[in-house]
Amino acid sequence: MKSVITTVVSAADAAGRFPSSSDLESVQGSIQRAGARLEAAEKLANNLDAVAKEAYDACIKKYQYLNNPGEANSTETFKSKCLRDIKHYLRLINYCLVVGGTGPLDEWGIAGQREVYRALSLPTAPYVEALSYARNRGCAPRDMSAQALTEYNALLDYVINSLS
């Protein structure tokens, strides 16, 4: 799994050089933000089900067609699968907060997602809406510190951009 440290070392190694001072500064910055990332990971882990459910509900409210027969909100099975997918992205964000890099999202959430959604004829806009709601709902200091919220939102933006 990729973290900031493994990414920097791998990039330097591939270029046949030692990590540069700017490489090491990026690692140092990541280490300095580790406390905020771990705070965000803990808060998300403690509230994952509630965050996912609120995001899912906001998505269904915006995209009323999802209530039509055969759509994401038409049966309990479809509802649970859609909610499961939102939770999956939030868990991957949680893992990324812990490792300090986008490796879990890149490897388990983003790679091939467009092809899967296209093959299954699944729209990505509802997922974007759900994750955008989760991003916009976060509030410092109510939910977490400002720095922790910044780390969390950056990863939500990363997923949203990959789905857009």
Side-chain angles (χ1 to χ4, degrees):
M1 181 176 316
K2 295 187 300 186
S3 70
V4 166
I5 296 170
T6 58
T7 301
V8 165
V9 170
S10 295
D13 188 46
R17 61 176 175 78
F18 290 108
S20 67
S21 59
S22 63
D23 292 337
L24 298 176
E25 286 173 10
S26 88
V27 170
Q28 183 179 17
S30 177
I31 291 169
Q32 290 170 344
R33 294 186 319 274
R37 283 194 320 272
L38 292 176
E39 175 193 345
E42 179 182 14
K43 301 286 182 163
L44 178 58
N46 290 337
N47 296 301
L48 188 109
D49 289 334
V51 171
K53 179 70 170 114
E54 282 184 28
Y56 175 80
D57 290 343
C59 164
I60 298 304
K61 184 177 179 180
K62 180 172 181 175
Y63 294 103
Q64 292 291 316
Y65 78 89
L66 294 173
N67 293 308
N68 295 340
E71 296 291 342
N73 204 42
S74 62
T75 69
E76 288 304 314
T77 301
F78 288 167
K79 288 178 187 180
S80 66
K81 286 181 178 182
C82 187
L83 185 58
R84 175 203 63 200
D85 290 349
I86 293 168
K87 284 182 183 181
H88 177 70
Y89 282 116
L90 291 174
R91 277 192 200 95
L92 292 176
I93 287 169
N94 197 340
Y95 299 158
C96 289
L97 288 165
V98 172
V99 301
T102 60
L105 278 168
D106 294 334
E107 295 169 23
W108 300 322
I110 294 173
Q113 73 182 355
R114 284 194 168 279
E115 291 78 15
V116 169
Y117 290 153
R118 193 174 300 120
L120 297 174
S121 298
L122 295 174
T124 58
Y127 293 109
V128 169
E129 177 61 27
L131 296 171
S132 295
Y133 177 85
R135 184 199 190 291
N136 296 335
R137 188 199 177 287
C139 177
R142 179 193 68 201
D143 299 321
M144 59 187 77
S145 70
Q147 184 61 43
L149 189 59
T150 299
E151 298 291 329
Y152 171 68
N153 285 343
L155 289 166
L156 280 167
D157 285 340
Y158 187 76
V159 176
I160 290 166
N161 290 334
S162 77
L163 290 168
S164 298

